[in-house]
Amino acid sequence: GAVVSQHPSRVICKSGTSVKIECRSLDFQATTMFWYRQFPKQSLMLMATSNEGSKATYEQGVEKDKFLINHASLTLSTLTVTSAHPEDSSFYICSARDLRRGLDNEQFFGPGTRLTVL
Amino acid sequence: TQLLEQSPQFLSIQEGENLTVYCNSSSVFSSLQWYRQEPGEGPVLLVTVVTGGEVKKLKRLTFQFGDARKDSSLHITAAQPGDTGLYLCAGAAGNNRLAFGKGNQVVVIP
């Protein structure tokens, strides 16, 4: 239980294009999802908190116009990297909370999306 | 300032040896989670500790939460190559968010 999927798992795009990453909770409803990015040999850096039916809350220093988040349903959140540049290349990971099981602070993570911008 | 400090950052041991890694903070947490992450994958939740002094076991992994709920340790007995990974501790950081430490990279050599 508490399975989170991400699609695509890997994407390569040209500089200037936009890329959409999907995060789905497969066997539970997630009112809150989180988007992280992780650089090689570093820990997870929270980018934003995505709440179903409302605007995302972005962490300091994260450009909301560049990283568009849409949480359209209780099982789906999307992150769109707009006008991607090579410095946006990273490992993007989403997570979700399932308040019906476990504890409030537990998050269940997707497998991640490796974005490479050429 | 890192909310959670994990040490050692990197640890390499031989198969069959024991190891302990630490997660420390000056803040009190209502709970702490430990995750393991393998290269190219998302973190997988191992355990949540809630009560000060609590000890939880997951096969050969033993997790302890400090009495003051500011720190935690992970002890692995008779490490196996499959234990290789990045161990991340995380605590509540307000507004439903988690704050992660930088991780303990463990390598178990066959």
Side-chain angles (χ1 to χ4, degrees):
Chain A
V3 180
V4 177
S5 71
Q6 273 184 251
H7 178 80
S9 58
R10 191 178 291 268
V11 57
I12 301 173
C13 69
K14 292 182 179 179
S15 187
T17 60
S18 295
V19 175
K20 180 186 284 189
I21 303 170
E22 293 186 347
C23 177
R24 293 181 185 273
S25 55
L26 298 185
D27 55 354
F28 66 99
Q29 293 182 329
T31 54
T32 304
M33 290 184 171
F34 304 86
W35 287 96
Y36 295 83
R37 64 189 297 182
Q38 185 177 34
F39 291 105
K41 300 194 184 300
Q42 294 192 23
S43 189
L44 281 70
M45 185 190 82
L46 179 64
M47 299 174 67
T49 302
S50 169
N51 298 297
E52 188 268 338
S54 65
K55 290 182 179 180
T57 303
Y58 290 81
E59 295 299 301
Q60 192 172 9
V62 178
E63 299 176 57
K64 60 181 66 177
D65 293 330
K66 180 166 184 63
F67 298 100
L68 301 178
I69 292 173
N70 185 6
H71 196 149
S73 75
L74 287 172
T75 59
L76 173 64
S77 175
T78 60
L79 167 68
T80 301
V81 183
T82 62
S83 186
H85 287 93
E87 57 265 30
D88 298 323
S89 298
S90 189
F91 192 51
Y92 291 86
I93 313 174
C94 72
S95 70
R97 297 172 67 212
D98 180 6
L99 294 181
R100 297 170 306 165
R101 73 181 92 202
L103 300 171
D104 283 1
N105 295 322
E106 290 178 346
Q107 294 181 16
F108 299 94
F109 286 83
T113 297
R114 171 72 59 192
L115 170 64
T116 303
V117 185
L118 301 177
Chain B
T1 303
Q2 193 74 19
L3 200 58
L4 289 162
E5 299 282 347
Q6 292 189 245
S7 61
Q9 276 190 285
F10 182 83
L11 183 60
S12 176
I13 62 169
Q14 294 289 330
E15 181 177 357
E17 293 182 338
N18 302 331
L19 69 98
T20 303
V21 294
Y22 301 91
C23 172
N24 296 303
S25 176
S26 57
S27 303
V28 175
F29 291 97
S30 57
S31 66
L32 275 180
Q33 287 81 49
W34 282 93
Y35 295 83
R36 180 170 64 214
Q37 184 181 25
E38 299 190 23
E41 299 182 13
V44 174
L45 178 65
L46 296 175
V47 78
T48 298
V49 286
V50 179
T51 307
E54 180 178 10
V55 176
K56 280 192 173 179
K57 291 194 174 184
L58 185 66
K59 296 183 180 178
R60 293 174 294 98
L61 276 61
T62 301
F63 303 86
Q64 183 160 11
F65 201 11
D67 291 340
R69 290 186 289 130
K70 292 182 179 181
D71 52 78
S72 182
S73 64
L74 159 59
H75 181 80
I76 302 179
T77 303
Q80 302 294 312
D83 296 325
T84 293
L86 179 67
Y87 290 84
L88 295 160
C89 70
N95 295 323
N96 301 319
R97 299 172 303 164
L98 282 179
F100 281 84
K102 290 187 176 181
N104 308 107
Q105 180 62 58
V106 172
V107 175
V108 182
I109 302 167

